[in-house]
Amino acid sequence: MAFFQKMEGLDDKPQKQELSKEIEKIKCLIIGSGPAGYTAAIYAARANLKPVMYQGLEPGGQLTTTTEVENFPGYPEGVTGPVMMDDLKAQAERFGAESRWGIVSSVDLSKRPFRVIVDEKHQIDAQAIIIATGATAKYLGLESEEKFKGSGVSACATCDGFFYKGKDVAVVGGGDTAAEEATYLAGLCNKVYMIIRKDYMRASKAMIKKVEETPNITVLYEHVTKEIIGDTVVKGAILDNKGKEVKIDIDGFFVAIGHKPQSQLFSKWIETDNEGYIKTIGTSSKTNVEGVFAAGDVMDPTYKQAITAAGSGCKAALDAEKFLS
Ligand code: NDP
């Protein structure tokens, strides 16, 4: 999503625009506007840190690409992702948080205050930074996949699986995420196909066993998705099995081929694991750079839920408050 496209390779490129002469001083800068960013903004504003948030290319983050959110506490009837993000924004602004359009194009975390450049132009000196840039689901890159996003193609079974109750769906991918999503969907759906490009599943033994023991999962090894088909909604998929065309009838197509944390912009200074997730110290939100905190999916390789992101945003604001005082 958003930040990643903008961030990649920026360090190597000269700034396209002339930098502003004025350098804005900000106490607490929040980068990213998903549930982690907005929860951090609510707490930071209430702590009088006068937080300023930059929303990135996708204001509201990944949730704005989902339809109904039914598992976020406090919404007994469910809520759409965009409405929930508007609520979070309004709540943060009520306490004085400022959320701005704009994309952070480069950062210098070598010394405090941290120099941040927004939209390749506006210069900021920040005393503390909360990184909440999220992660982005990887997609296959098919045109038809893009066409049916939100109307049959999803990258989140726990978010959207409910809408396929009693129907036939497919999950693409052979890792733990795909295996988990397939078994989760199998509890809701009539039939689940797992589409795996190799002749084995990369998932852990325990997950493979679970998949094998679930009667309504059919694993299609050595199958590659060529096309997702339908009219206004998904109706099926065309697969390639070693040169042979295979058609499956499905109503939902779940992509589970991994996530990519959006940490590239910070990688020169901030320690990440092998997959790019920002490492935080102990149970805190502290990164290896004092004064820089991380929250949400950019530091969470495991849970990746809106509510866990919100919780970690709260922790980041509390840690920033302590640091700044
Ligand atoms: P992984 O990278 O482990 O697996 C990705 C899967 O998607 C692989 O089967 C891969 O195939 C496939 N894939 C990748 N790109 C494509 C493509 N273009 N077309 C078709 N298939 C593709 O990602 P996960 O999200 O599953 O897991 C990430 C990490 O998180 C892992 O370490 C995993 O163990 C962990 N995890 C742990 C869980 C748990 O412990 N409960 C739950 C979920 C994740 P190929 O094998 O051919 O490369």
Side-chain angles (χ1 to χ4, degrees):
M1 120 177 138
F3 293 95
F4 169 61
Q5 295 159 344
K6 262 310 219 196
M7 287 172 174
E8 220 172 29
L10 271 170
D11 272 356
D12 312 328
K13 287 189 216 157
Q15 297 293 329
K16 281 195 201 105
Q17 300 195 41
E18 207 175 306
L19 293 178
S20 58
K21 290 203 177 64
E22 200 185 316
I23 299 169
E24 186 185 6
K25 310 265 183 261
I26 290 177
K27 208 167 179 182
C28 178
L29 179 72
I30 299 169
I31 308 176
S33 57
Y38 274 121
T39 307
I42 292 166
Y43 274 77
R46 284 171 58 85
N48 206 25
L49 302 185
K50 300 189 177 10
V52 172
M53 166 199 283
Y54 277 95
Q55 297 180 10
L57 261 181
E58 192 172 45
Q62 287 185 81
L63 268 190
T64 57
T65 65
T66 65
T67 45
E68 201 77 2
V69 180
E70 295 188 327
N71 53 7
F72 198 93
Y75 291 103
E77 305 303 324
V79 62
T80 66
V83 167
M84 193 176 104
M85 295 320 298
D86 282 348
D87 285 350
L88 282 170
K89 182 169 183 279
Q91 194 175 354
E93 287 176 349
R94 186 179 140 215
F95 298 112
E98 198 184 324
S99 59
R100 299 179 183 169
W101 292 91
I103 294 151
V104 172
S105 40
S106 66
V107 295
D108 180 353
L109 306 180
S110 60
K111 58 180 189 304
R112 277 187 67 232
F114 307 112
R115 180 63 54 88
V116 174
I117 297 170
V118 177
D119 293 333
E120 301 181 7
K121 187 174 177 15
H122 178 58
Q123 297 202 77
I124 289 170
D125 272 355
Q127 291 295 331
I129 294 180
I130 295 173
I131 302 171
T133 46
T136 180
K138 292 184 199 160
Y139 283 91
L140 297 172
L142 300 172
E143 226 171 84
S144 50
E145 176 187 52
E146 195 59 40
K147 177 181 163 193
F148 290 115
K149 267 186 198 168
S151 51
V153 170
S154 167
C156 179
T158 47
C159 316
D160 298 328
F162 189 75
F163 303 107
Y164 300 93
K165 208 169 173 184
K167 297 185 172 174
D168 292 352
V169 298
V171 177
V172 60
D176 279 324
T177 302
E180 275 196 355
E181 300 226 330
T183 48
Y184 173 79
L185 288 166
L188 294 168
C189 302
N190 176 55
K191 183 170 186 169
V192 179
Y193 294 99
M194 267 186 93
I195 304 166
I196 298 176
R197 62 183 174 185
K198 292 203 174 124
D199 62 356
Y200 65 90
M201 216 184 283
R202 192 201 287 199
S204 56
K205 284 203 172 72
M207 281 315 299
I208 295 173
K209 189 163 179 273
K210 215 167 163 188
V211 165
E212 287 170 351
E213 286 172 355
T214 306
N216 59 338
I217 298 179
T218 301
V219 183
L220 302 173
Y221 288 106
E222 294 183 273
H223 281 69
V224 174
T225 310
K226 288 285 163 208
E227 215 60 69
I228 299 158
I229 51 174
D231 37 45
T232 52
V233 292
V234 167
K235 300 270 191 215
I238 308 285
L239 315 176
D240 178 275
N241 173 225
K242 297 185 281 181
K244 198 174 84 209
E245 194 174 282
V246 175
K247 180 176 174 286
I248 54 170
D249 296 325
I250 46 166
D251 297 292
F253 185 89
F254 289 85
V255 186
I257 61 170
H259 279 79
K260 202 173 166 65
Q262 304 197 94
S263 59
Q264 297 87 339
L265 183 64
F266 315 98
S267 58
K268 195 166 165 187
W269 298 275
I270 302 289
E271 280 178 15
T272 63
D273 69 10
N274 290 340
E275 293 171 58
Y277 289 97
I278 292 178
K279 285 186 185 173
T280 49
I281 299 169
T283 57
S284 80
S285 66
K286 294 176 191 168
T287 68
N288 60 304
V289 176
E290 229 185 323
V292 179
F293 307 89
D297 285 8
V298 73
M299 49 69 68
D300 175 11
T302 313
Y303 300 103
K304 300 168 184 163
Q305 300 294 301
I307 188 64
T308 50
S312 72
C314 157
K315 282 164 63 173
L318 294 175
D319 288 341
E321 181 188 2
K322 201 166 172 200
F323 171 76
L324 290 167
S325 65

